[in-house]
Amino acid sequence: MTSEPVKDKESGVAADVVALAKVVAALRAENERLRHQASTAAVLERAKGLLMARSGCSATEAHEELARRARADGRTLTEECWIALGDIPQAAQPLFLPAQGVTDVPRVPDQGSPEPSRPATRRGPAPAAGRAGQVRESGTTSRTPSRTALLGDLSGALTGATCPQDVAERLLDHLAGPPVRADAVLLFSRTAHDSLELAGHAGTGAAVAAQWRSVPPVGGIAALDAVRRGEAVWLEDPARDAQRYHLIGQPPQKWRTRAWLPVTTGGRVTAALGVLRTVDAPFDEDVRELLRSVARLCAGSLRTGGARPGALRLNGQPGPSKRSGLSGAPEPSGWCPPAGRPGCPEGPEDGTAALVQAVLDVLPGPAVLLTPLRSPAGDVEDFRIDAAAPRSFDVAGRRGRQLVGLRVLECYPTVAGADAWQGYLRTLTTGTPYEGEPFTYEEVVAGLPQRSTYSVRAAKLGDALVVTWTGHGDIARQQALLADLQRLGNLGWTDWNLVTGAITWSPQVHAVLDRDLESGPLPLDAFPGDVLPEDAPDFTRARRQLLSTGARVDHLVRITTRGGVRHLRVVAEAVPDAHGTPVEVHGFVQDVTAQRTAELALTESRQAVLAQRDVLRAERTVAARLQHALLPLPEQSLNLGDLRVGVAYLPSHDDLNVGGDWYSALEMPGGGTLFAVGDVAGHGIDAVATMAQLRFTAKGMIVTGSSLTGALHRLNTLLLHTRDHHATATLVLGRYDPADRCLTWVHAGHPPPLLVRHGKAEFLSPPEGILLGATLQPSFGEAVCRIEPGDHLLLYTDGLVERPGEHLDEGLGRLARAAETELSADGPGSLDTLLSRLLPDEQRDDVCLLDIHLPASA
């Protein structure tokens, strides 16, 4: 960028604008001058530092020596600095002796040619005009610049180069004109395994550069010959040269003449400079000498770095290309010689990381080649990364070829002693591949801890290891958890862009809607599919409200699928723009068929239970009214002859069923008294009806003169021949004769009466008897009990003594103890107090109790 004159008279603009333009142009020119001065000063300071380190001289003496050499050889000071930086020998040699009388210092000559003689004067920098490399003097005639001027301009241009790619482009800019007339420039760096990597290129085109990015150490490569022999290779006959070398370009005759020159740094050839021309004429001697000098200039700017073997660095520092984006050595895409020429060596044992790199370049995942670094005793001290696949990465963000040259323990110190490290050593010793379990690696990057989880595999390749790994990042884990959540919840997320029309579904949505993935997603107006007609109006109304007002939708809808009707829950919300217009709708859809089916079945069952409960309540009401009509309960004790009879009847706490417990106490003709207490199995109207049959039949038979046992036989026959249902019942039946105060009683499987006399309770020994309705030929016997004044005789049903999970004897004992307490004193006693002591809070069965008491006064 250069300053340009501003016309103030013919421009037609205001004077203040012209003045401002002049100031800007002046500042721009000054900025360019200062930038060039700073770059030149940096090169000068590095060259001075080199001389000071080698000879021990002062900074002033080093500057004077560089200036003296430049004057003696007709070079610029910058050019001399570049040459000094490129001529760093491996052995320590003094570059000059400050002693008096010494006027020159031995120099390292160019490879393959003697030191040329140079004029004592040089032409100043040419103004920028026409094609690069041409100097336009006064008038319109252009002539070829001198060798000294061309090298001086080139050295100044290289001062501002930022990377090898930039060096190649600046070389072509200055060598494109006479006398070289170059059409393309290539810079190859030499790797630690004598292969070549393309560091910079200009004029070749992207296709050629991609084909020749990496060159293995095979025969038939002119650039490799120049590097190996340390001599320039001149190719000036395409037909003859094609029989010996692989020629770059398609067709190979595109560039008629080519020159490959070694670039020597520190006494070792580290790179190759290629100059390709379409000129069909050999290089004359002046051009050859000029190109050798250009190669020496390149040696000063292309310095071999120690962190990456073979990677060219600019002035000792890697730099990005301002034109092509290359950084150091380019990322190789693999190299293959043209058809009909010898191929690459097979197998890594031939030696080179370049061959392994060519394989790793096509791998879809991360992989590196680790070369062991051994101590003098042969122990492995570290591993060096000599090749890396493009998808290789580490926690510091380095990827691909940026990993090449790194040492494992230097970059990842926490690996030392880990399972992966021990696995590497075992694989290197035994050859058995190592496959490690996932482990977490932590490294501090920029002051922050970085954690990563990896699974590592290592396999032996020659004396090296090929290591591959799989990273288990948090994002991948979250995605897996999200997929599991959608699968387990049977739901999927949806997104509709109302502006672009793009539709995005998670894969689970297709499973929820029973749609194939190939069928694609549905638009919003057709979602979620074939809705049942009875659900369509409500769902359409909710969707319309979502798009008009942005109201959130949470709706249940049914659709018809290949597998039947599915119940879906659709939740969606609209995302409005700045004006409130919905531009996106996202949400989720969930298959709730199983849940809704269970809810519907539960609702139906609940409704059925409620209906049945209503029926049972109605039945209980009827049964209770019937029971009260058939079995009236006295409000107070009955006086039957000389006896006082207390009656108690307590229904169970079950408000749905009425039991079949009953009693009877009445005076008979002739002065006797009939007592009966019975219990019909079951509840409800049927039990009440059976109870009525037994009660009235028993009274009728006894009153008409039937014996007690005869009555039981007839009642048993009655139950056995009931048509509607076969019922069973228990019964205690007794007849009291007031003349001798004796009670004759029988029973049919009923608990025995309890006699309380003089404060002691005792159960009467029961005669023979069996449950009514149990057999066709029952056997019944009679027993007699004399009642004395003050006695209490209790007749009861089993609800008074039975409890779930308890033996009957425990209930009978509890009844006897309560009766002794409540009925031992002379008097009628209290049946309410007795019942409160005996009955639990949750009474499960009806209770009927008769207390036959003969007062002491009798």
Side-chain angles (χ1 to χ4, degrees):
M1 183 180 297
T2 58
S3 60
E4 298 178 357
V6 179
K7 297 180 180 180
D8 53 355
K9 295 182 179 180
E10 302 177 359
S11 60
V13 297
D16 54 344
V17 176
V18 174
L20 180 60
K22 289 181 178 181
V23 173
V24 172
L27 291 176
R28 184 185 297 124
E30 180 64 14
N31 186 44
E32 292 177 358
R33 185 188 67 79
L34 292 175
R35 184 187 301 134
H36 180 77
Q37 181 179 349
S39 300
T40 306
V43 176
L44 175 61
E45 292 301 318
R46 283 194 291 271
K48 287 167 56 178
L50 171 65
L51 296 183
M52 293 168 62
R54 294 294 307 280
S55 63
C57 65
S58 64
T60 302
E61 292 172 339
H63 186 276
E64 292 175 353
E65 173 62 14
L66 291 172
R68 184 190 66 77
R69 291 182 178 181
R71 290 192 301 270
D73 295 334
R75 304 189 184 101
T76 65
L77 181 60
T78 302
E79 182 182 357
E80 189 62 36
C81 290
W82 282 124
I83 294 175
L85 290 173
D87 290 340
I88 305 176
Q90 293 180 342
Q93 300 180 13
L95 297 184
F96 77 100
L97 298 175
Q100 293 183 354
V102 179
T103 60
D104 202 355
V105 179
R107 307 179 57 87
V108 178
D110 288 348
Q111 293 289 341
S113 65
E115 181 73 12
S117 59
R118 295 175 176 84
T121 60
R122 60 175 291 273
R123 187 181 300 272
R131 189 183 179 100
Q134 294 180 342
V135 178
R136 185 176 299 278
E137 298 181 352
S138 61
T140 59
T141 305
S142 63
R143 64 180 181 83
T144 302
S146 67
R147 173 177 173 273
T148 302
L150 182 60
L151 291 176
D153 292 343
L154 180 59
S155 66
L158 292 179
T159 301
T162 58
C163 66
Q165 174 65 25
D166 200 3
V167 170
E169 293 170 351
R170 292 173 186 251
L171 285 175
L172 182 60
D173 288 343
H174 287 76
L175 299 181
V180 180
R181 294 187 175 86
D183 295 284
V185 171
L186 294 171
L187 279 174
F188 280 102
S189 64
R190 185 180 187 180
T191 69
H193 303 285
D194 289 334
S195 61
L196 296 181
E197 293 178 357
L198 185 61
H201 63 91
T204 58
V208 174
Q211 182 184 7
W212 289 83
R213 282 189 182 276
S214 182
V215 180
V218 297
I221 306 296
L224 278 173
D225 276 359
V227 170
R228 290 167 176 169
R229 296 186 302 177
E231 298 177 356
V233 177
W234 310 97
L235 305 180
E236 298 165 327
D237 186 345
R240 183 181 59 191
D241 296 335
Q243 297 177 1
R244 181 179 179 187
Y245 295 110
H246 302 296
L247 298 183
I248 296 178
Q250 286 295 332
Q253 294 79 12
K254 175 180 180 181
W255 292 295
R256 307 292 297 178
T257 53
R258 310 155 189 257
W260 291 99
L261 300 103
V263 178
T264 304
T265 304
R268 180 177 180 270
V269 179
T270 58
L273 169 63
V275 178
L276 286 64
R277 307 189 308 176
T278 58
V279 178
D280 192 9
F283 297 90
D284 58 33
E285 190 59 29
D286 290 339
V287 173
R288 293 190 178 191
E289 287 297 328
L290 175 62
L291 293 180
R292 290 190 181 98
S293 299
V294 170
R296 295 188 65 187
L297 286 180
C298 293
S301 59
L302 302 178
R303 299 294 306 278
T304 303
R308 263 178 81 182
L312 293 183
R313 297 192 175 208
L314 188 66
N315 304 331
Q317 298 295 330
S321 170
K322 64 181 181 180
R323 303 189 187 184
S324 64
L326 295 176
S327 175
E331 296 278 335
S333 61
W335 177 88
C336 184
R341 303 298 299 175
C344 302
E346 299 179 1
E349 63 275 3
D350 288 345
T352 67
L355 294 178
V356 179
Q357 182 67 61
V359 176
L360 297 186
D361 283 336
V362 299
L363 293 183
V368 295
L369 177 69
L370 297 185
T371 300
L373 304 179
R374 300 181 181 274
S375 66
D379 299 329
V380 177
E381 295 181 333
D382 203 345
F383 288 92
R384 185 183 64 240
I385 302 176
D386 283 345
R391 293 184 179 271
S392 303
F393 60 92
D394 66 0
V395 293
R398 293 172 290 229
R399 293 182 175 274
R401 295 298 300 276
Q402 295 176 348
L403 300 172
V404 175
L406 300 179
R407 296 193 177 190
V408 174
L409 293 185
E410 289 181 359
C411 299
Y412 322 108
T414 57
V415 176
D419 292 340
W421 180 266
Q422 300 299 329
Y424 292 168
L425 297 181
R426 287 194 301 269
T427 300
L428 199 61
T429 303
T430 64
T432 302
Y434 164 73
E435 295 189 11
E437 296 294 331
F439 70 97
T440 300
Y441 173 78
E442 180 175 346
E443 182 180 11
V444 178
V445 179
L448 297 175
Q450 302 287 341
R451 290 186 178 89
S452 300
T453 303
Y454 298 100
S455 296
V456 179
R457 186 182 189 277
K460 187 175 182 181
L461 183 63
D463 192 35
L465 296 178
V466 175
V467 178
T468 59
W469 67 93
T470 302
H472 308 285
D474 292 339
I475 296 179
R477 177 170 176 79
Q478 290 175 3
Q479 292 176 346
L481 291 177
L482 179 60
D484 291 340
L485 174 63
Q486 294 183 72
R487 177 178 53 81
L488 295 175
N490 204 7
L491 58 85
W493 56 266
T494 59
D495 185 88
W496 291 272
N497 191 311
L498 305 181
V499 178
T500 64
I503 305 175
T504 307
W505 283 6
S506 66
Q508 190 63 28
V509 177
H510 296 270
V512 170
L513 303 183
D514 195 16
R515 289 174 56 86
D516 297 329
L517 289 173
E518 294 78 9
S519 60
L522 291 171
L524 183 59
D525 56 0
F527 184 82
D530 190 5
V531 180
L532 294 186
E534 51 267 36
D535 293 352
D538 289 342
F539 186 75
T540 302
R541 190 179 307 109
R543 181 170 53 200
R544 187 181 303 113
Q545 188 176 6
L546 169 69
L547 296 178
S548 60
T549 65
R552 181 175 180 268
V553 171
D554 191 342
H555 202 83
L556 293 176
V557 64
R558 293 172 295 174
I559 64 172
T560 302
T561 66
R562 293 171 297 186
V565 176
R566 289 194 178 185
H567 297 257
L568 304 180
R569 180 191 179 198
V570 178
V571 179
E573 63 180 3
V575 179
D577 58 8
H579 304 289
T581 303
V583 295
E584 186 177 3
V585 174
H586 56 253
F588 70 87
V589 57
Q590 183 179 18
D591 185 359
V592 294
T593 302
Q595 177 182 349
R596 289 293 298 163
T597 302
E599 290 176 354
L600 294 175
L602 181 61
T603 301
E604 293 177 359
S605 299
R606 185 182 296 111
Q607 292 175 351
V609 169
L610 293 177
Q612 182 66 22
R613 190 179 187 90
D614 293 339
V615 172
L616 293 177
R617 283 179 176 173
E619 182 179 338
R620 173 177 174 78
T621 301
V622 173
R625 289 179 180 178
L626 180 61
Q627 185 184 51
H628 288 303
L630 299 176
L631 188 67
L633 298 178
E635 297 180 357
Q636 57 186 1
S637 300
L638 300 175
N639 293 318
L640 301 176
D642 58 350
L643 299 175
R644 293 180 61 84
V645 181
V647 180
Y649 182 86
L650 294 178
S652 68
H653 291 170
D654 185 359
D655 60 348
L656 296 180
N657 294 311
V658 176
D661 293 15
W662 61 278
Y663 81 95
S664 184
L666 74 154
E667 291 183 326
M668 298 177 62
T673 306
L674 175 65
F675 296 101
V677 172
D679 186 4
V680 177
H683 295 81
I685 293 180
D686 292 336
V688 173
T690 303
M691 175 268 293
Q693 286 180 325
L694 294 179
R695 183 169 184 267
F696 291 112
T697 301
K699 290 195 299 182
M701 288 189 293
I702 299 301
V703 170
T704 57
S706 177
S707 64
L708 297 177
T709 56
L712 291 181
H713 280 284
R714 290 178 174 81
L715 292 175
N716 181 73
T717 303
L718 176 65
L719 292 181
L720 288 175
H721 291 83
T722 302
R723 289 185 178 182
D724 295 338
H725 65 281
H726 179 71
T728 58
T730 62
L731 176 64
V732 170
L733 189 62
R735 182 165 49 198
Y736 176 75
D737 187 357
D740 54 5
R741 295 179 177 175
C742 289
L743 177 70
T744 304
W745 63 284
V746 294
H747 84 103
H750 202 83
L754 177 65
L755 177 63
V756 181
R757 178 177 293 171
H758 305 305
K760 184 174 182 178
E762 183 179 0
F763 290 99
L764 301 182
S765 299
E768 185 179 4
I770 192 172
L771 184 72
L772 296 178
T775 178
L776 293 173
Q777 296 179 351
S779 178
F780 301 103
E782 292 183 352
V784 178
C785 173
R786 180 178 176 79
I787 299 178
E788 298 179 358
D791 289 350
H792 289 270
L793 184 66
L794 299 181
L795 304 180
Y796 53 91
T797 58
D798 57 1
L800 186 64
V801 294
E802 287 185 347
R803 291 184 183 179
E806 184 180 79
H807 197 273
L808 182 60
D809 290 344
E810 296 183 18
L812 295 176
R814 184 169 49 250
L815 172 61
R817 291 189 295 272
E820 289 176 350
T821 303
E822 299 296 334
L823 304 177
S824 60
D826 187 17
S830 175
L831 294 185
D832 292 338
T833 305
L834 177 65
L835 292 173
S836 64
R837 293 174 58 92
L838 294 174
L839 296 180
D841 296 335
E842 293 294 333
Q843 181 183 334
R844 295 177 177 269
D845 200 0
D846 297 345
V847 172
C848 184
L849 174 65
L850 261 66
D851 178 17
I852 303 171
H853 174 57
L854 180 62
S857 59

Short mmCIF file of all heavy atoms in Angstrom, two decimals, residues 501-523:
data_model
loop_
_atom_site.label_atom_id
_atom_site.label_comp_id
_atom_site.label_asym_id
_atom_site.label_seq_id
_atom_site.Cartn_x
_atom_site.Cartn_y
_atom_site.Cartn_z
N GLY A 501 -40.88 -22.27 6.72
CA GLY A 501 -41.54 -23.53 6.45
C GLY A 501 -40.76 -24.75 6.88
O GLY A 501 -41.20 -25.88 6.64
N ALA A 502 -39.61 -24.56 7.53
CA ALA A 502 -38.80 -25.70 7.96
C ALA A 502 -39.49 -26.41 9.13
O ALA A 502 -40.03 -25.77 10.03
CB ALA A 502 -37.41 -25.25 8.37
N ILE A 503 -39.45 -27.74 9.10
CA ILE A 503 -40.05 -28.56 10.15
C ILE A 503 -38.99 -29.48 10.70
O ILE A 503 -38.28 -30.16 9.94
CB ILE A 503 -41.24 -29.37 9.61
CG1 ILE A 503 -42.28 -28.46 8.95
CG2 ILE A 503 -41.89 -30.18 10.73
CD1 ILE A 503 -43.41 -29.21 8.29
N THR A 504 -38.87 -29.52 12.01
CA THR A 504 -37.88 -30.37 12.67
C THR A 504 -38.57 -31.21 13.72
O THR A 504 -39.27 -30.67 14.59
CB THR A 504 -36.76 -29.53 13.33
OG1 THR A 504 -36.21 -28.64 12.35
CG2 THR A 504 -35.66 -30.44 13.87
N TRP A 505 -38.39 -32.53 13.60
CA TRP A 505 -38.93 -33.48 14.58
C TRP A 505 -37.78 -34.31 15.14
O TRP A 505 -36.82 -34.62 14.43
CB TRP A 505 -39.93 -34.43 13.93
CG TRP A 505 -41.28 -33.84 13.67
CD1 TRP A 505 -41.67 -32.56 13.85
CD2 TRP A 505 -42.43 -34.55 13.16
NE1 TRP A 505 -42.99 -32.41 13.49
CE2 TRP A 505 -43.48 -33.61 13.06
CE3 TRP A 505 -42.66 -35.86 12.79
CZ2 TRP A 505 -44.75 -33.96 12.61
CZ3 TRP A 505 -43.92 -36.21 12.34
CH2 TRP A 505 -44.96 -35.27 12.24
N SER A 506 -37.92 -34.68 16.40
CA SER A 506 -37.03 -35.71 16.92
C SER A 506 -37.52 -37.07 16.41
O SER A 506 -38.70 -37.25 16.12
CB SER A 506 -37.02 -35.69 18.45
OG SER A 506 -38.27 -36.07 18.97
N PRO A 507 -36.61 -38.06 16.29
CA PRO A 507 -37.03 -39.35 15.75
C PRO A 507 -38.17 -40.01 16.52
O PRO A 507 -38.97 -40.75 15.95
CB PRO A 507 -35.74 -40.19 15.82
CG PRO A 507 -34.64 -39.19 15.80
CD PRO A 507 -35.16 -37.99 16.54
N GLN A 508 -38.29 -39.71 17.82
CA GLN A 508 -39.32 -40.38 18.62
C GLN A 508 -40.72 -39.93 18.23
O GLN A 508 -41.70 -40.66 18.48
CB GLN A 508 -39.07 -40.09 20.11
CG GLN A 508 -39.92 -40.91 21.07
CD GLN A 508 -39.64 -42.40 20.98
OE1 GLN A 508 -38.53 -42.80 20.62
NE2 GLN A 508 -40.61 -43.22 21.31
N VAL A 509 -40.86 -38.77 17.59
CA VAL A 509 -42.19 -38.30 17.19
C VAL A 509 -42.81 -39.28 16.19
O VAL A 509 -44.01 -39.57 16.25
CB VAL A 509 -42.10 -36.89 16.60
CG1 VAL A 509 -43.47 -36.43 16.10
CG2 VAL A 509 -41.58 -35.92 17.64
N HIS A 510 -41.98 -39.79 15.27
CA HIS A 510 -42.48 -40.75 14.29
C HIS A 510 -43.00 -42.01 14.99
O HIS A 510 -44.02 -42.58 14.58
CB HIS A 510 -41.39 -41.10 13.29
CG HIS A 510 -40.94 -39.93 12.46
ND1 HIS A 510 -41.53 -39.58 11.27
CD2 HIS A 510 -39.97 -39.01 12.67
CE1 HIS A 510 -40.93 -38.53 10.77
NE2 HIS A 510 -39.98 -38.15 11.60
N ALA A 511 -42.30 -42.45 16.04
CA ALA A 511 -42.75 -43.63 16.77
C ALA A 511 -44.05 -43.34 17.52
O ALA A 511 -44.94 -44.19 17.59
CB ALA A 511 -41.66 -44.09 17.74
N VAL A 512 -44.16 -42.14 18.08
CA VAL A 512 -45.38 -41.79 18.82
C VAL A 512 -46.59 -41.75 17.88
O VAL A 512 -47.67 -42.23 18.22
CB VAL A 512 -45.19 -40.43 19.52
CG1 VAL A 512 -46.51 -39.93 20.08
CG2 VAL A 512 -44.16 -40.56 20.63
N LEU A 513 -46.40 -41.19 16.68
CA LEU A 513 -47.50 -41.09 15.72
C LEU A 513 -47.66 -42.32 14.86
O LEU A 513 -48.54 -42.35 13.99
CB LEU A 513 -47.29 -39.86 14.82
CG LEU A 513 -47.15 -38.51 15.53
CD1 LEU A 513 -47.03 -37.39 14.51
CD2 LEU A 513 -48.33 -38.25 16.45
N ASP A 514 -46.79 -43.34 15.05
CA ASP A 514 -46.83 -44.57 14.25
C ASP A 514 -46.65 -44.25 12.77
O ASP A 514 -47.38 -44.72 11.92
CB ASP A 514 -48.15 -45.32 14.49
CG ASP A 514 -48.08 -46.76 13.98
OD1 ASP A 514 -46.96 -47.25 13.75
OD2 ASP A 514 -49.14 -47.39 13.81
N ARG A 515 -45.63 -43.41 12.47
CA ARG A 515 -45.31 -43.03 11.10
C ARG A 515 -43.90 -43.50 10.78
O ARG A 515 -43.02 -43.54 11.64
CB ARG A 515 -45.38 -41.51 10.92
CG ARG A 515 -46.78 -40.94 10.96
CD ARG A 515 -46.74 -39.42 10.92
NE ARG A 515 -46.02 -38.91 9.77
CZ ARG A 515 -46.56 -38.70 8.57
NH1 ARG A 515 -47.85 -38.99 8.39
NH2 ARG A 515 -45.84 -38.22 7.57
N ASP A 516 -43.66 -43.83 9.51
CA ASP A 516 -42.32 -44.20 9.05
C ASP A 516 -41.45 -42.95 8.94
O ASP A 516 -41.94 -41.86 8.61
CB ASP A 516 -42.40 -44.90 7.69
CG ASP A 516 -43.17 -46.20 7.76
OD1 ASP A 516 -43.13 -46.84 8.84
OD2 ASP A 516 -43.82 -46.56 6.76
N LEU A 517 -40.14 -43.12 9.24
CA LEU A 517 -39.23 -42.00 9.12
C LEU A 517 -39.16 -41.46 7.70
O LEU A 517 -38.97 -40.26 7.47
CB LEU A 517 -37.82 -42.42 9.59
CG LEU A 517 -37.65 -42.65 11.09
CD1 LEU A 517 -36.27 -43.21 11.38
CD2 LEU A 517 -37.85 -41.34 11.85
N GLU A 518 -39.32 -42.36 6.71
CA GLU A 518 -39.23 -41.93 5.32
C GLU A 518 -40.40 -41.03 4.93
O GLU A 518 -40.30 -40.26 3.96
CB GLU A 518 -39.19 -43.14 4.39
CG GLU A 518 -37.94 -44.00 4.54
CD GLU A 518 -37.98 -44.90 5.76
OE1 GLU A 518 -39.08 -44.97 6.38
OE2 GLU A 518 -36.95 -45.50 6.10
N SER A 519 -41.51 -41.09 5.65
CA SER A 519 -42.67 -40.28 5.28
C SER A 519 -42.50 -38.81 5.63
O SER A 519 -43.23 -37.97 5.13
CB SER A 519 -43.92 -40.83 5.98
OG SER A 519 -43.77 -40.79 7.39
N GLY A 520 -41.51 -38.49 6.48
CA GLY A 520 -41.22 -37.11 6.81
C GLY A 520 -42.21 -36.52 7.80
O GLY A 520 -43.24 -37.12 8.14
N PRO A 521 -41.94 -35.31 8.27
CA PRO A 521 -42.82 -34.67 9.25
C PRO A 521 -44.07 -34.09 8.60
O PRO A 521 -44.14 -33.88 7.39
CB PRO A 521 -41.94 -33.57 9.85
CG PRO A 521 -40.97 -33.23 8.76
CD PRO A 521 -40.72 -34.51 8.01
N LEU A 522 -45.08 -33.80 9.43
CA LEU A 522 -46.33 -33.23 8.98
C LEU A 522 -46.32 -31.72 9.19
O LEU A 522 -45.75 -31.22 10.17
CB LEU A 522 -47.50 -33.83 9.76
CG LEU A 522 -47.84 -35.30 9.51
CD1 LEU A 522 -48.87 -35.77 10.52
CD2 LEU A 522 -48.35 -35.49 8.09
N PRO A 523 -46.97 -30.97 8.30
CA PRO A 523 -47.13 -29.54 8.57
C PRO A 523 -48.03 -29.32 9.77
O PRO A 523 -48.75 -30.22 10.21
CB PRO A 523 -47.74 -29.01 7.27
CG PRO A 523 -48.37 -30.20 6.63
CD PRO A 523 -47.54 -31.38 7.01
#
